[in-house]
Amino acid sequence: MIDVYFWPTPNGHKITVFLEEAGLPYRIVPVNIGKGEQFEPSFLKISPNNRIPAIVDHEPKGGGAPVSVFESGAILVYLAEKTGKFLPAEGPARYDVLQWLFWQVGGLGPLAGQTHHFNKYEPERIPYAIDRYVRETARLYGVMNKRLADRPYLAGEYSIADMACYPWVVPHADQKQNLDDFPHLKDWFERIRNRPAVQRAYERGEREAKAPPLDEEAKKILFGQGADSTAR
Ligand SMILES: N[C@@H](CCC(=O)N[C@@H](CS)C(=O)NCC(=O)O)C(=O)O
């Protein structure tokens, strides 16, 4: 059994999508990030960056003590290596997947995350910031669109790279992006959206970890963090 420390956000959904695709049994442990549960000392022990997702695998490959992993990219690699699925074991095909996975965790996720922040939550509406992040998100969508012009998935075959990117394209409207501007990306998005495992993952995640809209208290917790935050 794998415990998934989860909240229904793009980074959380990546992991349950993998688990549903691979058919691995898992238990969702909700971490309400709007209430500050990401600062609980027991959670910080497995996720020192006070972010979801994290996992604890109670039956690691080869036996031994439970293994905990934080950072969604590392978790996806861990699960792929545990199951032998969605990441080739070696050769150029493996690096095709890894480069798009790293591209997501280093680029699409953080940049689209800033787009959400300035477009949806920032009270002062700073046009420069909104414009900068919306444009950069559009550039990243354009990169994916070009890549997908001659292949169905980012690394050719469906892989953990697609599972990492898809949840960040789901909220495209909040990023002020129109998928009609990116036809190959739109086809990819529909292909993944129609996968039964993806639908099961979103349905279960949202059912077992119900996230209310962010209130002022939640915004203070999420957007007011500094060096002292993890010392609580
Ligand atoms: N690089 C991390 C990012 C994780 C992340 O930003 N998680 C967000 C939810 S999508 C979170 O836990 N936020 C809690 C907070 O900001 O305190 C990953 O890919 O796992």
Side-chain angles (χ1 to χ4, degrees):
M1 181 63 80
I2 293 176
D3 290 337
V4 189
Y5 290 78
F6 175 88
W7 200 238
T9 68
N11 288 316
H13 289 304
K14 292 174 190 174
I15 309 307
T16 50
V17 164
F18 182 99
L19 292 164
E20 289 289 343
E21 292 282 11
L24 280 180
Y26 64 100
R27 186 171 74 101
I28 288 183
V29 183
V31 178
N32 186 336
I33 60 174
K35 286 220 164 103
E37 291 176 3
Q38 67 273 42
F39 298 107
E40 289 295 330
S42 56
F43 180 64
L44 290 175
K45 264 194 199 148
I46 55 172
S47 187
N49 192 37
N50 64 269
R51 299 283 190 268
I52 64 97
I55 61 163
V56 177
D57 181 0
H58 294 277
E59 286 164 22
K61 202 173 168 182
V67 170
S68 72
V69 187
F70 74 100
E71 278 293 322
S72 61
I75 298 169
L76 289 172
V77 171
Y78 176 87
L79 294 172
E81 290 183 343
K82 177 183 172 75
T83 56
K85 291 181 174 163
F86 305 116
L87 173 65
E90 58 188 11
R94 178 176 176 84
Y95 296 100
D96 257 356
V97 173
L98 290 178
Q99 65 191 357
W100 285 97
L101 176 68
F102 278 64
W103 178 86
Q104 187 286 313
V105 292
L108 180 64
L111 270 299
Q114 294 305 315
T115 312
H116 290 174
H117 180 78
F118 285 105
N119 190 39
K120 236 183 131 178
Y121 300 120
E122 206 281 326
E124 287 169 36
R125 313 289 305 160
I126 305 169
Y128 178 87
I130 295 173
D131 185 57
R132 153 121 182 92
Y133 288 114
V134 168
R135 276 170 180 278
E136 179 60 5
T137 305
R139 187 189 70 80
L140 293 165
Y141 274 41
V143 171
M144 280 191 284
N145 188 57
K146 195 166 167 196
R147 174 74 180 175
L148 291 162
D150 59 357
R151 70 203 87 209
Y153 296 104
L154 289 164
E157 308 250 314
Y158 183 55
S159 75
I160 54 175
D162 303 289
M163 295 179 204
C165 290
Y166 171 79
W168 281 100
V169 180
V170 171
H172 51 270
D174 285 340
Q175 300 160 18
K176 292 192 166 178
Q177 306 300 325
N178 180 353
L179 289 190
D180 290 335
D181 297 340
F182 307 98
H184 308 301
L185 181 65
K186 187 177 180 181
D187 288 348
W188 167 92
F189 180 75
E190 291 302 331
R191 264 195 294 283
I192 298 180
R193 191 161 72 110
N194 288 325
R195 293 179 72 90
V198 172
Q199 291 173 4
R200 284 197 304 276
Y202 272 73
E203 190 278 319
R204 179 169 168 190
E206 279 158 14
R207 177 164 40 83
E208 293 192 24
K210 285 204 171 58
L214 291 188
D215 59 17
E216 288 312 307
E217 199 47 41
K219 286 183 195 167
K220 259 190 232 155
I221 290 169
L222 286 169
F223 308 141
Q225 296 175 24
D228 58 347
S229 302
T230 55
R232 278 165 40 158

